[in-house]
């Protein structure tokens, strides 16, 4: 017992180990860790021990191929497969790896195999103050006229520091000077901008040039700095301002003019001589960057040319300030505004906008019902902006112009039917009157909403169902289904059984129906021997307002079930028990008929087909029982050693799926020939007479069944040939079905229908559709979406308890 317990324990342990190994094999583990390092660390600096932090055995790292999955570029980190230590592969410059980022994260993915594990490692690179502020130029030269008044401001270029946050530029300082002071303006993301402010008038005769040193300091500890040398040259005074030759400049230019097209040429003169009299042109200080992208001015000639794409729809005119400046040491300037008018071209297609739209319209809407209100706009002007609209498809909708220009109403022009078309896609075309004309289209979808104008339709009419007797009261027997071509609430169907008290629906009181799904329940148990067929009507009603309904007739056929046990007719003793005593002479030969057991079964088909067998016998070598006829015969002659009395227990059972049985006991006494002579002669005469009678009736029954079988086939062929293709008959059935004639089954396979006609079979018997026995191929006049439909017609059977042959 202990060994058996140990063996079972080992088997369980092996099973558990196998299951754990299988789970580990198919599972991919993953984890995520994060380290922080400073930038500019030396190559080989340890970041962290990944194997230790993840709890991985270092001895398995190389065997499992522990590595970093990297791209094609040189990796920043390297992983030691011996101990799992992550170290710096090369010096990391945070400003190079994470430019302009407040947080610098380097994400890596590590992989172990057998089993596969993926771990995500994030390394945050912390900024260090490793960059000094720097100016774009080492030296800045400013020219300031001695006539400039105190308070004049001169913007200087800001210093840049690649470091972020507190390590960026934090302040500026200016070397001591009596004439200038420093102001710093903070512009947020653009940083701090230094301005040089004149605080004391300049005197060129006293000092021609001033040298200043501007220092930018970051927030590091210790701080880093950068310097800019500023040279301020004091210029002499220029006392004549340039003058334009015209008081007003105005010009027109086509939109979409090619780049480089000359718009206008301005001209200004200066009475001064030399450099103070040479005039150059530029845009005024107030000209924004958008205008500078559209136009350009030649500094020498004063020609204004097209530089960018000019669009009339964006703006129909521009006012451009042109500045004329001399080239004196202290240049004098004058501004003049040039008005540029843009000429419209037909370069814009109409635009369609739906201002009001009913997405759904009832299918019973009258012609003229408005569906949508659309407006059409064209950014062009004149004829280029005049638009005409129409609907492209042949649909029951049209466009009606409104009182306002370029406004249209989409209305119905004919009746709608949702069941035919539930949605319309209207393509509206808008076309302007320009040369060449431009057009555009817009599609709107109009949904036709449902109106309750369709009654429910049953999937079959009439229905035929087959119910096995002895059903459970309250259990679902079958179901009916109806559909409604409408939608939403109009298609919600409820069912009820018609109970009008007529002959057709007299059995409706024994049934109930689920109003939601059409499942039909029986309130009583059916008995085939009492009721074989009945019919009733079911009404399907939708939930529309007002509601619509339809009804269908349902034919129900009760199928036999093996619920009756065989009854022994012979032998029966005087007190009514199933048993008897037979006497036979001792000198009979082998094959002698001793007696015949007769039995009856109230069921039909295989449920009523009886077989006989010996359940108990004193001597198996002496007697034999015919399993089909119930005849008991001797197998050999009697000997002196045989007993005088023999007991035989006969088992009679039917052929139902769950067979039922009965037993009869026959006592056979072996007597001397003289004693049994008289009784034997009388019994032989009676038995011969009974056997002849049974044989006669059996021949008549077989002949009748064969004749009915042949007649059924002929009638079936004639009916099928005479029916037109659109015959409304859906079933081969007889309302007077009583379960006493022949049995037929009609079924569908592919595009063909088959009918099987033959002796009646129990509900438990099997029919193989592939078999060709007793099968007729029936032309298929109708195809049903429900697949194979089985229909059953009239049923018959004949009892084979006495002689199955």
């Amino acid at each position: 017992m202990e060994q058996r317990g140990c063996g079972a324990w080992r088997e369980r342990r092996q099973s558990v180990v196998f299951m754990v190994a299988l789970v580990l094999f198919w599972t991919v583990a993953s984890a995520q860790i994060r380290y922080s390092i400073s930038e500019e660390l030396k190559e080989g600096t340890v970041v962290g021990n990944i194997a230790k932090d993840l709890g991985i055995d270092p001895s398995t790292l190389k065997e499992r191929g522990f590595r970093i999955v990297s791209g094609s570029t040189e990796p920043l980190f390297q992983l030691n497969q011996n101990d799992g230590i992550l170290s710096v592969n090369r010096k990391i410059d945070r400003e190079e790896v994470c430019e302009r980022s407040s947080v610098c994260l380097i994400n890596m993915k590590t992989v172990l195999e057998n089993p596969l594990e993926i771990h995500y490692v994030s390394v945050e690179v912390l900024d260090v103050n490793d960059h000094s502020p720097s100016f774009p130029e080492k030296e800045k030269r400013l020219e300031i006229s001695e006539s400039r008044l105190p308070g004049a401001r001169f913007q200087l270029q800001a210093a840049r520091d690649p470091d972020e946050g507190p390590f960026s530029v934090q302040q500026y300082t200016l070397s001591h000077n009596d004439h200038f002071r420093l102001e710093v303006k903070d512009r947020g993301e653009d940083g701090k901008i230094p301005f040089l402010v004149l605080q004391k008038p300049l005197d060129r005769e006293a000092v021609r040039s001033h040298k200043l040193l501007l220092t930018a300091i970051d927030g590091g500890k210790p701080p880093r700095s950068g310097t800019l040398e500023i040279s301020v040259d004091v210029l002499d005074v220029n006392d004549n301002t340039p003058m334009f030759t015209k008081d007003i400049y105005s010009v027109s230019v086509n939109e979409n003019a090619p780049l480089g097209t000359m718009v206008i040429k301005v001209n200004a003169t200066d009475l001064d001589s030399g450099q103070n009299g040479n005039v150059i042109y530029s845009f005024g200080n107030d000209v924004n960057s958008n205008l500078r992208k559209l136009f350009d001015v030649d500094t020498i000639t004063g020609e204004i040319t097209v530089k960018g794409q000019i669009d009339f729809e964006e703006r129909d005119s521009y006012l451009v300030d042109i500045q004329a400046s001399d080239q004196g040491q202290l240049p004098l300037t004058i501004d003049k505004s040039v008005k540029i008018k843009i000429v419209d071209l037909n370069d814009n297609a109409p635009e369609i906008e739906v201002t009001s739209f009913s997405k759904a319209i009832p299918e019973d809407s009258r012609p003229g019902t408005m569906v949508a209100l659309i407006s059409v706009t064209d950014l062009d002007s004149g004829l280029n902006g005049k638009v005409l609209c129409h609907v492209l498809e042949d649909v029951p909708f049209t466009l009606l112009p409104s009182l306002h220009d370029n406004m249209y109403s989409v209305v119905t022009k004919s009746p709608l039917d949702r069941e035919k078309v539930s949605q319309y896609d209207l393509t509206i075309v808008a076309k302007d009157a320009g040369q060449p004309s431009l057009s555009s289209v817009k599609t709107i979808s109009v949904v036709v909403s449902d109106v309750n104008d369709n009654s429910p339709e049953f999937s079959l009419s009439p229905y035929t169902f087959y119910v096995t007797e002895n059903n459970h009261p309250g259990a679902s027997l079958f179901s009916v289904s109806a559909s409604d071509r409408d939608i939403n609430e109009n298609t919600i169907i409820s069912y009820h059984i018609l109970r009008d008290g007529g002959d057709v629906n007299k059995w409706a009181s024994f049934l109930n129906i689920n109003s939601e799904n059409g499942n039909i329940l029986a309130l009583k148990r059916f008995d085939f021997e009492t009721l074989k067929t009945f019919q009733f009507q079911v009404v399907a009603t939708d939930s529309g307002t007002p509601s619509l309904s339809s009804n269908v007739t349902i034919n129900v056929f009760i199928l036999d079930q093996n619920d009756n046990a065989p009854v022994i007719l012979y032998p029966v003793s005087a007190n009514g028990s199933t048993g008897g005593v037979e006497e036979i002479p001792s000198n009979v030969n082998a094959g002698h008929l001793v007696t015949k057991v007769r039995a009856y079964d109230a069921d039909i088909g295989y449920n009523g087909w009886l077989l006989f067998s010996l359940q108990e016998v004193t001597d198996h070598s002496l007697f034999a029982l015919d399993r089909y006829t119930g005849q008991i015969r001797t197998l050999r002659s009697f000997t002196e050693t045989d007993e005088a009395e023999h007991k035989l227990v006969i088992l009679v059972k039917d052929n139902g799926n769950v067979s039922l049985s009965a037993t009869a006991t026959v006592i056979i006494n072996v007597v001397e020939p003289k004693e049994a002579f008289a009784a034997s002669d009388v019994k032989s005469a009676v038995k011969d007479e009974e056997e002849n009678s049974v044989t006669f009736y059996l021949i008549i029954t077989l002949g009748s069944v064969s004749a009915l079988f042949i007649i059924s086939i002929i009638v079936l062929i004639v009916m099928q040939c005479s029916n037109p293709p659109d015959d409304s008959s859906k079933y081969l059935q007889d309302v007077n079905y009583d379960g006493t004639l022949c049995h037929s089954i009609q079924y569908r396979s592919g595009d063909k229908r088959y009918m099987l006609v033959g002796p009646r079979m129990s509900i438990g018997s099997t029919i193989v559709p592939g078999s060709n026995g007793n099968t007729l191929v029936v032309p298929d006049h109708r195809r049903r979406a429900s697949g194979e439909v089985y229909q059953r017609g009239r049923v018959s059977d004949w009892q084979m308890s006495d002689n199955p042959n």
Side-chain angles (χ1 to χ4, degrees):
M1 181 64 70
E2 293 179 357
Q3 293 178 353
R4 188 181 307 159
C6 293
W9 180 82
R10 291 193 194 97
E11 292 179 355
R12 287 196 298 271
R13 185 180 66 178
Q14 291 175 357
S15 300
V16 170
V17 171
F18 176 76
M19 292 176 62
V20 170
L22 186 63
V23 170
L24 292 176
F25 179 77
W26 286 105
T27 301
V28 178
S30 64
Q32 184 170 357
I33 55 176
R34 180 168 175 173
Y35 300 103
S36 296
I37 63 171
S38 299
E39 63 173 331
E40 303 294 339
L41 293 179
K42 294 181 180 181
E43 180 180 352
T45 302
V46 175
V47 177
N49 193 324
I50 299 178
K52 180 180 179 181
D53 295 337
L54 293 177
I56 302 172
D57 186 3
S59 63
T60 63
L61 296 180
K62 178 173 288 187
E63 179 182 353
R64 296 180 62 186
F66 192 31
R67 65 188 184 278
I68 298 175
V69 180
S70 61
S72 59
T73 58
E74 182 181 0
L76 299 176
F77 302 92
Q78 61 182 359
L79 184 62
N80 192 325
Q81 289 189 342
N82 295 321
D83 51 15
I85 293 178
L86 182 68
S87 58
V88 177
N89 190 39
R90 60 183 176 89
K91 185 178 291 186
I92 301 174
D93 187 354
R94 183 184 183 279
E95 288 71 34
E96 177 184 353
V97 176
C98 302
E99 183 179 4
R100 313 296 294 177
S101 296
S102 59
V103 177
C104 182
L105 280 178
I106 300 176
N107 296 314
M108 295 174 291
K109 183 165 62 176
T110 63
V111 176
L112 290 114
E113 299 177 350
N114 299 322
L116 179 62
E117 292 184 20
I118 299 176
H119 302 287
Y120 297 90
V121 180
S122 298
V123 179
E124 181 182 3
V125 181
L126 303 177
D127 190 24
V128 298
N129 191 22
D130 56 343
H131 293 86
S132 299
S134 62
F135 290 89
E137 299 175 336
K138 293 294 183 180
E139 183 178 352
K140 177 68 175 179
R141 181 172 295 275
L142 295 178
E143 293 180 349
I144 302 177
S145 173
E146 62 179 344
S147 62
R148 298 300 294 268
L149 299 177
R153 294 160 53 90
F154 305 92
Q155 180 177 339
L156 303 175
Q157 289 182 326
R160 293 290 180 263
D161 192 334
D163 295 322
E164 293 290 335
F167 300 139
S168 61
V169 176
Q170 299 297 315
Q171 61 178 328
Y172 291 91
T173 60
L174 185 67
S175 60
H176 178 72
N177 186 275
D178 294 333
H179 294 274
F180 298 93
R181 62 182 175 86
L182 183 67
E183 286 186 3
V184 179
K185 185 175 182 181
D186 192 352
R187 291 189 177 180
E189 294 182 356
D190 293 337
K192 294 177 173 58
I193 308 300
F195 288 84
L196 193 64
V197 181
L198 181 64
Q199 63 179 359
K200 183 178 180 181
L202 300 175
D203 186 0
R204 184 177 180 276
E205 286 69 25
V207 180
R208 292 189 175 186
S209 178
H210 297 269
K211 300 291 184 181
L212 305 174
L213 183 65
L214 179 64
T215 304
I217 305 172
D218 63 18
K221 293 182 180 181
R224 291 174 175 266
S225 62
T227 59
L228 173 67
E229 294 182 359
I230 304 174
S231 297
V232 179
D233 295 332
V234 181
L235 303 179
D236 199 8
V237 175
N238 182 16
D239 56 351
N240 287 289
T241 303
M243 299 295 294
F244 283 95
T245 57
K246 290 184 179 180
D247 293 334
I248 299 175
Y249 286 95
S250 180
V251 68
S252 298
V253 62
N254 292 336
E255 65 173 331
N256 303 323
L259 301 183
T261 301
M262 189 182 75
V263 178
I264 194 173
K265 181 178 181 180
V266 297
N267 185 32
T269 58
D270 193 317
L271 298 178
D272 292 327
S273 60
Q275 293 296 324
N276 293 333
N278 292 333
V279 179
I280 57 175
Y281 304 92
S282 63
F283 287 113
N285 294 328
D286 295 334
V287 176
N288 58 38
S289 59
N290 292 331
L291 278 177
R292 295 175 186 268
K293 293 177 181 179
L294 296 177
F295 302 100
D296 195 12
V297 58
D298 190 296
T299 58
I300 304 301
T301 64
E303 292 181 351
I304 300 175
T305 57
V306 175
K307 182 181 179 182
Q309 187 71 25
I310 301 175
D311 190 355
F312 173 85
E313 287 69 38
E314 291 184 2
R315 193 168 176 180
D316 59 357
S317 64
Y318 295 94
L319 197 62
V320 182
D321 289 338
I322 301 298
Q323 185 181 83
S325 173
D326 60 28
Q327 294 183 327
Q329 290 184 350
L330 183 61
L332 300 179
T333 61
I334 186 172
D335 293 333
K336 178 66 68 173
S337 296
V338 179
K339 186 173 184 179
I340 303 175
K341 297 179 180 180
I342 309 301
V343 179
D344 183 34
L345 299 179
N346 190 26
D347 60 341
N348 290 279
E351 295 181 0
I352 303 173
E353 180 183 4
V354 180
T355 59
S356 178
F357 177 46
S358 298
K359 292 185 177 180
I361 179 172
E363 60 180 319
D364 60 350
S365 299
R366 295 181 179 180
T369 302
M370 188 176 74
V371 178
L373 184 65
I374 64 172
S375 64
V376 183
T377 57
D378 194 317
L379 297 178
D380 296 321
S381 60
L383 290 177
N384 296 333
K386 185 174 180 61
V387 182
L388 297 176
C389 293
H390 66 279
V391 179
L392 187 61
E393 297 90 352
D394 183 15
V395 292
F397 298 91
T398 187
L399 287 177
L400 295 179
S402 65
L403 298 177
H404 301 281
D405 291 339
N406 296 336
M407 294 289 292
Y408 296 87
S409 299
V410 180
V411 299
T412 59
K413 67 177 180 179
S414 60
L416 305 175
D417 187 354
R418 190 204 66 82
E419 285 70 37
K420 292 182 179 179
V421 181
S422 61
Q423 178 175 322
Y424 292 91
D425 294 326
L426 309 182
T427 302
I428 300 173
V429 180
K431 187 176 182 181
D432 62 27
Q435 294 295 331
S437 63
L438 300 176
S439 62
S440 61
V441 296
K442 188 175 186 65
T443 301
I444 61 174
S445 295
V446 179
V447 177
V448 181
S449 61
D450 186 43
V451 173
N452 192 27
D453 56 351
N454 290 279
S455 301
E457 296 178 359
F458 284 93
S459 57
L460 294 174
S461 180
Y463 279 93
T464 298
F465 294 103
Y466 297 88
V467 179
T468 304
E469 64 173 333
N470 300 321
N471 58 290
H472 296 287
S476 176
L477 296 179
F478 44 79
S479 65
V480 297
S481 176
S483 60
D484 197 312
R485 296 174 61 194
D486 297 317
I487 59 174
N488 299 330
E489 293 183 356
N490 297 331
T491 193
I492 300 176
I493 298 174
S494 61
Y495 304 89
H496 70 274
I497 297 176
L498 186 62
R499 308 179 192 274
D500 57 0
D503 292 338
V504 176
N505 298 303
K506 66 180 180 179
W507 299 101
S509 60
F510 299 108
L511 302 171
N512 198 3
I513 189 169
N514 189 315
S515 61
E516 295 181 357
N517 56 28
N519 286 341
I520 297 176
L521 314 176
L523 302 179
K524 61 166 289 185
R525 190 184 303 271
F526 294 114
D527 185 6
F528 174 82
E529 287 73 28
T530 303
L531 176 65
K532 294 179 174 57
T533 179
F534 65 92
Q535 64 177 201
F536 62 97
Q537 290 183 322
V538 172
V539 180
T541 306
D542 62 27
S543 301
T545 304
S547 62
L548 301 176
S549 62
S550 60
N551 58 5
V552 67
T553 299
I554 300 176
N555 298 312
V556 180
F557 294 90
I558 308 301
L559 299 179
D560 183 36
Q561 194 177 36
N562 190 24
D563 57 346
N564 291 282
V567 177
I568 305 299
L569 299 179
Y570 180 85
V572 179
S573 61
N575 59 4
S577 61
T578 57
V581 179
E582 297 290 338
E583 293 182 352
I584 62 173
S586 60
N587 60 349
V588 296
N589 296 323
H592 175 75
L593 176 63
V594 178
T595 187
K596 180 177 181 179
V597 179
R598 292 183 176 86
Y600 165 77
D601 195 316
D603 295 319
I604 62 174
Y606 283 112
N607 296 331
W609 185 9
L610 303 181
L611 295 177
F612 302 84
S613 62
L614 283 173
Q615 187 177 27
E616 182 180 341
V617 61
T618 55
D619 191 346
H620 288 279
S621 65
L622 193 54
F623 300 99
L625 174 67
D626 190 295
R627 66 175 306 185
Y628 298 108
T629 65
Q631 293 178 351
I632 301 175
R633 295 181 181 272
T634 59
L635 292 174
R636 61 178 174 81
S637 300
F638 291 97
T639 65
E640 294 179 356
T641 59
D642 293 331
E643 296 181 1
E645 181 179 297
H646 298 272
K647 179 182 178 182
L648 281 71
V649 179
I650 311 302
L651 175 67
V652 184
K653 65 177 182 179
D654 56 29
N655 280 271
N657 282 342
V658 179
S659 62
L660 303 177
S661 62
T663 59
T665 303
V666 178
I667 304 298
I668 302 175
N669 292 325
V670 181
V671 298
E672 294 299 324
K674 294 180 180 180
E675 298 176 6
F677 179 75
S680 176
D681 289 343
V682 173
K683 287 185 178 181
S684 298
V686 173
K687 289 181 180 179
D688 291 341
E689 182 179 353
E690 290 179 353
E691 289 178 1
N692 293 336
S693 176
V694 171
T695 303
F696 174 74
Y697 287 118
L698 181 58
I699 292 173
I700 293 176
T701 303
L702 287 173
S704 301
V705 172
S706 299
L708 287 174
F709 176 70
I710 295 173
I711 292 172
S712 300
I713 294 177
I714 295 174
V715 171
L716 176 63
I717 294 174
V718 172
M719 290 177 62
Q720 292 295 330
C721 294
S722 61
N723 286 338
D726 57 348
D727 184 60
S728 62
S729 174
K730 294 187 173 110
Y731 301 92
L732 299 175
Q733 63 179 12
D734 188 347
V735 295
N736 296 320
Y737 160 77
D738 58 4
T740 61
L741 295 179
C742 66
H743 177 76
S744 65
I745 298 177
Q746 188 176 123
Y747 67 93
R748 180 186 299 278
S749 178
D751 295 334
K752 295 182 179 181
R753 290 190 303 156
Y754 299 88
M755 172 168 286
L756 275 70
V757 182
R760 180 174 51 196
M761 304 172 68
S762 69
I763 190 63
S765 60
T766 303
I767 296 176
V768 181
S771 173
N772 294 325
N774 297 336
T775 304
L776 296 178
V777 179
V778 182
D780 188 7
H781 299 303
R782 301 173 302 277
R783 296 198 62 172
R784 302 198 175 277
S786 61
E788 295 189 1
V789 179
Y790 292 86
Q791 308 176 18
R792 307 196 176 198
R794 305 191 57 162
V795 181
S796 71
D797 189 21
W798 45 279
Q799 199 69 22
M800 301 175 62
S801 60
D802 288 340
N803 190 353
N805 298 323

